[in-house]
C-alpha cells in the first residue's frame, strides 16, 4: 500500500542497526506499538517500511540504488539512535540515513516541513535509545544541519544506559518518562507532518489556474444561472471543507507568548529608591514565570538592558522574545505609583498600558493584576494552581517587604562574603518585622547554606541555621517554587542528601520548565553524584533559559573543565568575561583551562589578566619561585586558607614551600608547628576530611611517613569519589597520590594518577599540569610516568555514580 501522500512509497522508513534488535527485539516491539498508536492518531492507513529480518534485508553486497531507493521514498525517516548507530562505516548510516537526507533535500517537500501551528519540523525524527557521546551528537547535527531534538526512549536510573521498555511504566524506582507517552509523542509528530504536507498539496491544487476553454458569451439570461451555480458551489465547498472557504478573511493566528520584563525606571527623586523599582520588576517577572504557558526571560538577561538606548525590537531580538514589558515606579513614603506598558516587539504596537496608584501594603495586588493582564493579552492559559500562586500575599508588613527587597538587591550585586553577611542581616530584619514572611526564611536559609558549604569565616553551625530556616519557610508556605529550589540546595549543601534534592528538582523542572534556577540546582547536584552526562544536559538548558547569568556561566565553565572539554569551557569563560571583565573566578578558571588546553603557561598568559593575585601566585609556584611565595605567605593576614576542599594553616603552607625550595630543616619546623594547630582543630572536627588531609601533609613534611599515609587514607575514606565525584572525592584521591610521592611510594602514586586521569575532576590534574607541577618532579625519572605525560586519556562519564 503506498503512502498517504502521492509520490511517496511509504509514510515512514525505520532505520536501525540490527544489533540493537537482537537482544530483546526492542525495535520490533517499538514498530508494533507505533503502528497501533498511529491507527488511533492518523486518518487513513499509515505505511511503515521496517527491515525486520536481517537475512531478508539489504546488505553491503546488494545493489542499494535499485533495491533500497524506492523504499527510501518515504515522508518521514525514523533512525533508532543507539550507541552504535553513528558509525560512518555502517550500512544504516551510509545507505539509509545519508541516502534519505540526500533524496529529501532534493524532492518537492525538502527536509523541513512547516506545520499548521507555524512551527517547522524536520522530516528526520530521531528516536534515541541510549545516552550518546558528544561526538555522536555533533555528527548527527552536522549531517541533519539542525539541532537534534530526539524523542527519548531511555531508562533513567543510576548506572544504567538502556532502552525504555513498556514494562518500565509499571516501575516506581526511577525517573524515566512513560513508554506509552513517548510512543504517543512519536505518533503525534508523524501526524503533524502528514497533515501539514496534505494541506500544502490541497493549497497547491486550489491555486492552480483553470484549463483554457472556449469563450462563452454571457447573456442576461445566463446571469441568474451563473449566480445560482456559484452559490451552490460555495455551499458544497463549505460542507466539504468547513468554514475556511466561507470566511475568506479569517486566518488562524499563532500567538507569541514570550516576554521580557525590562528594568523599571526609578522615578523617585531619591536614587536610593532603585532597590524598590528593581524589586517591583523582579517580583512581576517572578509572577509571570509561574505561568507555565508563557516563556519569560530571566532577570539577569533583562537587567543587561538597564538604561539601554536600543529600540525595543532590537532588545526583543537579542532576548528572543516577542513582547517587552516596560515600567516605571515612583515611591513616596507609603504611596507607590507603578506604570507599565506591554509592547508587541514585532510591530512596536502598545498592546496594553496602565498606571496603578496604591499604598505600599497593597502592592502585591497590583503585581497580581499586572501579571493576569499580561497573561490575558498574550492568551496565556492560567491553571487553577497558577491562579492561586499569583494571588498569594507574601506579607502585609511594608517594613519587612522593604528589608526583603534590599536584601535581594545586595545579593544580586554581591561581592562574595561581605554581601552574603549583609544579606543575612537585612533578611533577619525582615523576619523580625514579619515572622510569618515565608520567602525571607528561604532566602536567608539559602545564604546560610552557602556560608556553610563554602567554608566562609565562622561557618560552623550555619548548616543547622539553614535547615531551621527552610523548615520554617515550608511550614508557612510549601507551594512556592523558590522555596522548593532552596530546600533542594540546602539538602545538597548541608547534608549531602543528593537523592532527595534531585527528586525535588526534577519535579520543579518538570512542572516549571522555564525555571532556570531549578535546572542550575539540578546539574549542581548531578555533577556531585557523578551523573556528568545528565549534568551537562541540564547545564545547557539552564544556560539556554538564562544565557547572561554570570554565576551560571562560571559554574558551566568549571563543569566543562572537569570533563576536559576545554574549548567549550573557554567559550563559557569568554562569555562570562564579556559580561563582567573583572570577574576574578572567571579569570582564574580561564587561566587553568588554557594551560590544560594549550599546554604551557606562556600560551595561557597571553589571553588572561596577569594582574590577578591568584594567577600570579600560581605562576610563581609552577616556575619554582618559592622564595617570593614564602615572602607572600609571611605577609598574608590570613592565618588559615580554607575552602570546600582544603584547610591549610599558614605554617603548613610554609612547610610545603620550604620543602620544595630544598630547606628540609625549616620545612620540618613549620610542619611540627602546623601539627600543633591541626591537632587542636582535629579534636573539634574529627570527621572533616580536610583536617585529615592537612594532617597527612604536615606529618609527611615532618618526616612521619606512616602517619601521613594513614591520615591520607582516612581522608579518602571520609570523602570517597563515590560520595562526591566532582571535587571533594577527587581531591582526597589525588592528595593520597601526593602523600605517596612525599613518602617515596612512587609506584602507588603513578597508579593513582593514571586512574584519576580517566575520571572527571575539578582539579588541575591534566598532563599539562603534571608536566609543570613541582610536586611531581620525583616521578620524572620513571618511564611509566613519562608515558602518562604523552597519553590522551578518555574521560569516563558513566561509571562514576553516587
Amino acid at each position: 500500500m503506498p503512502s498517504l501522500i502521492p509520490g511517496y512509497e511509504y509514510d515512514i522508513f525505520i532505520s536501525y542497526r540490527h544489533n540493537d534488535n537482537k537482544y530483546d527485539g526492542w525495535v520490533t516491539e517499538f514498530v508494533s506499538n507505533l503502528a497501533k498508536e498511529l491507527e488511533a492518531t492518523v486518518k487513513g492507513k499509515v505505511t511503515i517500511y521496517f527491515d525486520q529480518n536481517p537475512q531478508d534485508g539489504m546488505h553491503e553486497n546488494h545493489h542499494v540504488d535499485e533495491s533500497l531507493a524506492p523504499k527510501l521514498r518515504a515522508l518521514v525517516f525514523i533512525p533508532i539512535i543507539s550507541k552504535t548507530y553513528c558509525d560512518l562505516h555502517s550500512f544504516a548510516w551510509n545507505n539509509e540515513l545519508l541516502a534519505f537526507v540526500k533524496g529529501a533535500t532534493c524532492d518537492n517537500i525538502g527536509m523541513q516541513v512547516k506545520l499548521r501551528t507555524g512551527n517547522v519540523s524536520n522530516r528526520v525524527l530521531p528516536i534515541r535509545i541510549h545516552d550518546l557521546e558528544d561526538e555522536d551528537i555533533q555528527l548527527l547535527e552536522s549531517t541533519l544541519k539542525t539541532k537534534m531534538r530526539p524523542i527519548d526512549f531511555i531508562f533513567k536510573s543510576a548506572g544504567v544506559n538502556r532502552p525504555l521498555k513498556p514494562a518500565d511504566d509499571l516501575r516506581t524506582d526511577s525517573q524515566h518518562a512513560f513508554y506509552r507517552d513517548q510512543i504517543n509523542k512519536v505518533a503525534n509528530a508523524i501526524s503533524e507532518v502528514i497533515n501539514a504536507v496534505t494541506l500544502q498539496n490541497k493549497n497547491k491544487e486550489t491555486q492552480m489556474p483553470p484549463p483554457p476553454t472556449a469563450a462563452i458569451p454571457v447573456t442576461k439570461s445566463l446571469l441568474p444561472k451563473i449566480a445560482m451555480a456559484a452559490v451552490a458551489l460555495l455551499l458544497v465547498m463549505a460542507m466539504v471543507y468547513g468554514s475556511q472557504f466561507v470566511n475568506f478573511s479569517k486566518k488562524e493566528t499563532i500567538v507569541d507568548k514570550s516576554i521580557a520584563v525590562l528594568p523599571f525606571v526609578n522615578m523617585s527623586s531619591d536614587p536610593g529608591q532603585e532597590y524598590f523599582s528593581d524589586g517591583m520588576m523582579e517580583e512581576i517577572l517572578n509572577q509571570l514565570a509561574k505561568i507555565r504557558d508563557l516563556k519569560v526571560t530571566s532577570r539577569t538577561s533583562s537587567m543587561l538592558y538597564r538604561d539601554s538606548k536600543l529600540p525595543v525590537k532590537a532588545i526583543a531580538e537579542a532576548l528572543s522574545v516577542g513582547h517587552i514589558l516596560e515600567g516605571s515606579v515612583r515611591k513616596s513614603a507609603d504611596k507607590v505609583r507603578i506604570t507599565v506598558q506591554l509592547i508587541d516587539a514585532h510591530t512596536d504596537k502598545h498592546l496594553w498600558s496602565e498606571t496603578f496608584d496604591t499604598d505600599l501594603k497593597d502592592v502585591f495586588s497590583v503585581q497580581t493584576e499586572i501579571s493576569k493582564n499580561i497573561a490575558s493579552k498574550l492568551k496565556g492559559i492560567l491553571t487553577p494552581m497558577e491562579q492561586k500562586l499569583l494571588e498569594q500575599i507574601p506579607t502585609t508588613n511594608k517594613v519587612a517587604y522593604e528589608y526583603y527587597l534590599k536584601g535581594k538587591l545586595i545579593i544580586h550585586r554581591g561581592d562574595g562574603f561581605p554581601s552574603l553577611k549583609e544579606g543575612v542581616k537585612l533578611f533577619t530584619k525582615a523576619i523580625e518585622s514579619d515572622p510569618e514572611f515565608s520567602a525571607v526564611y528561604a532566602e536567608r536559609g539559602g545564604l546560610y547554606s552557602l556560608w556553610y558549604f563554602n567554608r566562609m569565616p565562622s561557618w560552623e553551625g550555619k548548616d543547622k541555621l539553614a535547615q531551621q530556616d527552610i523548615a520554617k519557610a515550608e511550614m508557612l508556605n510549601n507551594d512556592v517554587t523558590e522555596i522548593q529550589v532552596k530546600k533542594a540546595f540546602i539538602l545538597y549543601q548541608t547534608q549531602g542528601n543528593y537523592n532527595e534534592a534531585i527528586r525535588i528538582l526534577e519535579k520543579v523542572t518538570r512542572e516549571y520548565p522555564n525555571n532556570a534556577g531549578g535546572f542550575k540546582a539540578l546539574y549542581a547536584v548531578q555533577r556531585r553524584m557523578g551523573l556528568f552526562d545528565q549534568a551537562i544536559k541540564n547545564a545547557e538548558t539552564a544556560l539556554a533559559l538564562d544565557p547572561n547569568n554570570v554565576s551560571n556561566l562560571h559554574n558551566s565553565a568549571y563543569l566543562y573543565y572537569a570533563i576536559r572539554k576545554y574549548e567549550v569551557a573557554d567559550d563559557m569563560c569568554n562569555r562570562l568575561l564579556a559580561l563582567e571583565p573583572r570577574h576574578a573566578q572567571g579569570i582564574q578558571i580561564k587561566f587553568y583551562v588554557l594551560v590544560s588546553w594549550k599546554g604551557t603557561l606562556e600560551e595561557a598568559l597571553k589571553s588572561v589578566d596577569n594582574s590577578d593575585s591568584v594567577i600570579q601566585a600560581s605562576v610563581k609556584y609552577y616556575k619554582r619561585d618559592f622564595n617570593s611565595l614564602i615572602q607572600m605567605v609571611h605577609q598574608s593576614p590570613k592565618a588559615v586558607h580554607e575552602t570546600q576542599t582544603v584547610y591549610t594553616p599558614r605554617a603548613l603552607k610554609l612547610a610545603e614551600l620550604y620543602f620544595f625550595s630544598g630547606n628540609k630543616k625549616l620545612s620540618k619546623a613549620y610542619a611540627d608547628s602546623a601539627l600543633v594547630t591541626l591537632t587542636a582543630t582535629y579534636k573539634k572536627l574529627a570527621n572533616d576530611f580536610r583536617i585529615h588531609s592537612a594532617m597527612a601533609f604536615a606529618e609527611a613534611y615532618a618526616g612521619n611517613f606512616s602517619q601521613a599515609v594513614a591520615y591520607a587514607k582516612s581522608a579518602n575514606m571520609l570523602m570517597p569519589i563515590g560520595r562526591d565525584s566532582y571535587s571533594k572525592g577527587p581531591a582526597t584521591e589525588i592528595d593520597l597520590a601526593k602523600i605517596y610521592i612525599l613518602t617515596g611510594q612512587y609506584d602507588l602514586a603513578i597508579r593513582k594518577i593514571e586512574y584519576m586521569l580517566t575520571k572527571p575532576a575539578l582539579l588541575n590534574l591534566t598532563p599539562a599540569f603534571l608536566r609543570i607541577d613541582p610536586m611531581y618532579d620525583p616521578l620524572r625519572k620513571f618511564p611509566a610516568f613519562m608515558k602518562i605525560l604523552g597519553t590522551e586519556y578518555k574521560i569516563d562519564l558513566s561509571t562514576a555514580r553516587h
Side-chain angles (χ1 to χ4, degrees), residues 225 252 326 366 396 403 423 427 433 484 494 640 662 697 715:
K225 296 178 181 179
E252 183 183 2
E326 295 181 329
V366 173
T396 57
Y403 278 130
F427 290 143
S433 301
Q484 290 302 302
T494 68
V640 178
F697 283 105

Side-chain angles (χ1 to χ4, degrees), residues 158-431:
V160 178
N161 190 12
R162 68 162 174 83
L164 185 69
K165 299 175 184 177
D168 294 327
D169 286 357
L170 302 176
R171 297 180 59 154
T172 59
D173 57 345
S174 59
Q175 297 295 324
H176 57 76
F178 283 102
Y179 180 93
R180 177 64 193 276
D181 288 350
Q182 300 304 88
I183 284 285
N184 182 253
K185 287 180 186 177
V186 179
N188 288 337
I190 293 168
S191 175
E192 284 186 317
V193 173
I194 291 173
N195 291 338
V197 175
T198 302
L199 181 61
Q200 288 173 20
N201 288 346
K202 284 183 180 178
N203 289 340
K204 287 177 184 178
E205 290 171 8
T206 59
Q207 292 165 9
M208 288 179 65
T213 58
I216 301 176
V218 179
T219 65
K220 285 185 177 180
S221 62
L222 283 175
L223 285 172
K225 296 178 181 179
I226 294 172
M228 290 178 65
V231 171
L233 178 60
L234 281 174
L235 288 171
V236 171
M237 292 170 71
M239 286 188 288
V240 176
Y241 297 107
S243 61
Q244 74 181 89
F245 286 99
V246 178
N247 184 359
F248 292 99
S249 63
K250 184 177 180 181
K251 282 187 176 179
E252 183 183 2
T253 56
I254 307 303
V255 179
D256 187 340
K257 300 180 184 181
S258 57
I259 184 171
V261 183
L262 297 187
F264 284 7
V265 178
N266 173 27
M267 300 297 289
S268 305
S269 57
D270 179 10
Q273 293 292 333
E274 192 171 272
Y275 79 91
F276 193 83
S277 57
D278 280 358
M280 289 303 97
M281 169 263 192
E282 184 175 1
E283 292 295 295
I284 290 170
L285 186 151
N286 288 339
Q287 289 279 70
L288 293 172
K290 293 171 184 174
I291 305 172
R292 184 172 182 171
D293 201 34
L294 302 183
K295 177 194 171 188
V296 185
T297 298
S298 65
R299 177 193 184 277
T300 48
S301 294
S302 295
M303 274 294 181
L304 291 176
Y305 296 94
R306 182 194 292 279
D307 303 325
S308 174
K309 304 302 180 186
L310 288 172
V312 165
K313 187 172 183 180
I315 295 174
E317 287 178 354
L319 295 174
S320 301
V321 296
H323 300 87
I324 294 290
L325 183 72
E326 295 181 329
S328 64
V329 179
R330 184 187 300 276
K331 180 177 176 290
S332 178
D334 291 344
K335 300 296 181 183
V336 181
R337 168 171 285 189
I338 302 175
T339 301
V340 291
Q341 51 187 356
L342 179 65
I343 303 168
D344 184 329
H346 302 301
T347 63
D348 207 23
K349 178 183 175 183
H350 286 59
L351 300 179
W352 170 71
S353 64
E354 194 158 338
T355 297
F356 301 87
D357 290 301
T358 185
D359 290 333
L360 182 58
K361 62 183 176 61
D362 295 324
V363 75
F364 298 109
S365 299
V366 173
Q367 294 170 4
T368 300
E369 188 172 345
I370 291 171
S371 302
K372 286 183 176 179
N373 271 291
I374 292 169
S376 174
K377 295 298 178 184
L378 300 187
K379 300 194 180 334
I381 299 170
L382 267 173
T383 67
M385 175 56 78
E386 290 166 353
Q387 178 122 354
K388 178 185 173 185
L389 291 175
L390 292 182
E391 292 172 352
Q392 285 185 349
I393 304 297
T395 180
T396 57
N397 187 302
K398 60 187 180 183
V399 175
Y401 189 55
E402 291 200 65
Y403 278 130
Y404 169 72
L405 292 182
K406 287 177 181 177
K408 295 273 282 186
L409 184 66
I410 288 289
I411 299 306
H412 287 316
R413 293 183 179 178
D415 58 350
F417 185 53
S419 66
L420 184 146
K421 285 199 300 180
E422 183 62 23
V424 166
K425 286 181 183 178
L426 289 165
F427 290 143
T428 299
K429 288 181 178 180
I431 289 169

Side-chain angles (χ1 to χ4, degrees), residues 457-634:
S458 304
W459 58 267
E460 294 93 336
K462 297 300 185 292
D463 55 336
K464 304 301 181 189
L465 295 177
Q467 292 159 19
Q468 290 168 12
D469 273 354
I470 200 63
K472 180 70 172 179
E474 271 201 300
M475 184 186 73
L476 291 170
N477 191 349
N478 195 30
D479 292 334
V480 179
T481 307
E482 289 77 13
I483 290 177
Q484 290 302 302
V485 172
K486 283 287 193 299
K487 179 183 178 180
F489 255 125
I490 290 168
L491 284 167
Y492 146 51
Q493 292 180 332
T494 68
Q495 298 180 30
N497 190 343
Y498 301 146
N499 290 324
E500 180 63 11
I502 281 187
R503 185 193 68 76
I504 292 169
L505 292 168
E506 286 185 338
K507 183 174 185 290
V508 167
T509 53
R510 189 164 58 246
E511 293 178 353
Y512 300 95
N514 291 322
N515 190 311
F519 284 100
K520 179 184 174 185
L522 183 55
Y523 82 75
V525 182
Q526 287 171 331
R527 65 189 181 180
R528 299 282 172 177
M529 293 183 72
L531 303 170
F532 287 97
D533 39 8
Q534 295 176 34
I536 292 163
K537 292 174 187 175
N538 288 312
E540 289 172 351
T541 303
L543 279 170
L545 291 169
D546 197 358
N548 298 317
N549 186 309
V550 169
S551 173
N552 223 347
L553 288 165
H554 168 230
N555 280 293
S556 294
Y558 275 121
L559 176 58
Y560 282 105
Y561 177 61
I563 63 171
R564 322 275 167 83
K565 298 285 185 182
Y566 302 129
E567 189 170 4
V568 183
D570 187 53
D571 177 59
M572 297 295 161
C573 293
N574 292 338
R575 288 169 58 183
L576 185 161
L577 295 172
L579 295 168
E580 199 173 311
R582 302 298 303 166
H583 192 282
Q585 288 179 308
I587 294 169
Q588 292 157 20
I589 183 60
K590 182 174 176 66
F591 169 73
Y592 299 130
V593 167
L594 288 175
V595 172
S596 297
W597 186 17
K598 303 300 182 181
T600 66
L601 288 173
E602 290 68 29
E603 283 294 311
L605 290 171
K606 291 177 184 177
S607 303
V608 296
D609 182 354
N610 298 342
S611 66
D612 181 84
S613 60
V614 173
I615 292 178
Q616 287 181 342
S618 295
V619 171
K620 290 181 186 297
Y621 172 75
Y622 292 125
K623 288 189 172 182
R624 277 74 171 165
D625 186 3
F626 301 119
N627 290 332
S628 293
L629 289 172
I630 288 169
Q631 186 177 1
M632 288 171 62
V633 173
H634 276 299

Side-chain angles (χ1 to χ4, degrees), residues 137-173:
I137 294 173
Q138 292 167 7
L139 177 61
L140 278 162
E141 291 182 344
S142 64
T143 301
L144 300 178
K145 295 182 174 57
T146 186
K147 183 81 173 174
M148 191 176 76
R149 295 177 177 85
I151 296 176
D152 282 344
F153 284 78
I154 304 173
F155 182 83
K156 296 294 182 182
S157 185
V160 178
N161 190 12
R162 68 162 174 83
L164 185 69
K165 299 175 184 177
D168 294 327
D169 286 357
L170 302 176
R171 297 180 59 154
T172 59
D173 57 345

